[in-house]
Amino acid sequence: MDDQQLLRYSRQILLPQIDIDGQQSLLKSRVLIVGLGGLGAPAALYLAAAGVGTLVLADHDSVDTTNLHRQIIHLTRDVGRTKVDSAGDTLQALNTDVQLTLIDRALEGETLNRAVRDVDLVLDCSDNFATRLAVNAACFAAGKPLVSGAAIRLEGQVSVFDPRREDSPCYQCLYGEGDEEALSCSEAGVIGPLVGMIGSLQALEALKLLAGFGEPLTGRLLLIDALTSRFREMRVKRDPACGCCGAAGLEQ
């Protein structure tokens, strides 16, 4: 770590939970962010600002005017550009220390598995169950922690699924096979600051896991009601019958 890095990250290095060792861990870390929308935007900004060494950004979509009220990594001038290119420019302007890998296509099959294997941690900031289930399966197979977030209307949630821990559930333990009939933000709406809160919490959970401090949300689902500004927590247990991490899934 050079003098400029010591200065840049000095305020978080002052925290005894992070210190020099934790900051060096962050600088060496590789994180995959799936989705550069409402959740991925603040998450990527905070991880880049914190000095995570390499961010792998994956999104096949382009910036639309309707994104701008909540996807704060993109600017009006970026409308029509791919989200990974737009986000990449913003992150490089924020912190030139951070190395970026841009994937401007949907992550599927072996491409997804390889992307997950090549990083230390994954943030699922996607907006559909099929992607969430696929990312969850890839993380479990590779033994990589997954920080999952979701938000719609005025409700959001965050959890951590860590296959390195025998007691940790996976995403599929909580939601089964999912519900592809669920409404999207484009159909149901969402408030901007809520996705900012969820994405920021995802970044915080990622930093805790990477630098090894605090108590991550493993086995806990944090629910946020933005209408009443209330938080509540649910315990989530591993499902022995889960098709991903349970006995049935392991036999496949």
Side-chain angles (χ1 to χ4, degrees):
M1 200 183 312
D2 60 32
D3 289 345
Q4 280 301 310
Q5 289 174 321
L6 285 170
L7 180 62
R8 174 183 281 270
Y9 308 118
S10 60
R11 296 302 186 270
Q12 63 190 30
I13 290 173
L14 284 171
L15 297 171
Q17 295 87 349
I18 297 180
D19 208 344
I20 294 290
D21 289 343
Q23 187 61 54
Q24 289 178 329
S25 294
L26 296 179
L27 291 167
K28 295 175 183 176
S29 296
R30 294 175 56 87
V31 172
L32 168 63
I33 302 177
V34 182
L36 274 300
L39 305 178
L45 286 166
Y46 274 113
L47 292 180
V52 171
T54 300
L55 294 179
V56 182
L57 310 179
D59 198 311
H60 66 282
D61 204 1
S62 298
V63 181
D64 185 83
T65 301
T66 59
N67 302 151
L68 298 178
H69 90 283
R70 66 194 184 281
Q71 299 181 15
I72 57 172
I73 204 166
H74 311 298
L75 305 179
T76 301
R77 68 188 183 207
D78 295 317
V79 170
R81 300 181 67 199
T82 64
K83 287 186 178 179
V84 292
D85 284 338
S86 169
D89 285 352
T90 303
L91 297 176
Q92 282 290 287
L94 175 64
N95 189 353
T96 55
D97 281 348
V98 178
Q99 302 298 308
L100 300 176
T101 299
L102 308 182
I103 305 174
D104 62 354
R105 60 188 182 279
L107 282 179
E108 299 173 330
E110 183 53 31
T111 303
L112 170 61
N113 294 333
R114 185 168 56 252
V116 170
R117 288 195 300 265
D118 288 345
V119 297
D120 301 301
L121 179 144
V122 178
L123 269 69
D124 182 1
C125 301
S126 64
D127 61 358
N128 65 87
F129 274 117
T131 299
R132 291 169 186 162
L133 289 172
V135 170
N136 174 72
C139 286
F140 181 80
K144 301 300 173 72
L146 170 64
V147 182
S148 175
I152 195 167
R153 297 191 181 98
L154 292 159
E155 300 173 347
Q157 60 187 47
V158 187
S159 191
V160 171
F161 307 105
D162 191 346
R164 300 171 302 179
R165 291 177 46 171
E166 291 186 1
D167 62 337
S168 174
C170 75
Y171 181 86
Q172 194 166 328
C173 289
L174 182 60
Y175 289 107
E177 296 296 330
D179 178 11
E180 280 303 329
E181 299 302 317
L183 292 175
S184 66
C185 292
S186 63
E187 299 167 303
V190 68
I191 192 76
L194 173 63
V195 292
M197 291 170 65
I198 300 297
S200 297
L201 284 168
Q202 286 183 268
L204 175 60
E205 292 300 307
L207 294 177
K208 286 157 65 176
L209 289 161
L210 294 169
F213 69 93
E215 182 184 353
L217 280 168
T218 309
R220 297 182 290 146
L221 179 67
L222 183 64
L223 301 167
I224 299 174
D225 181 346
L227 190 61
T228 60
S229 296
R230 287 190 170 90
F231 291 66
R232 63 190 179 95
E233 182 182 298
M234 293 175 53
R235 291 283 176 176
V236 182
K237 294 183 178 180
R238 194 165 191 169
D239 180 4
C242 175
C244 178
C245 70
L250 294 174
E251 290 173 0
Q252 295 179 8

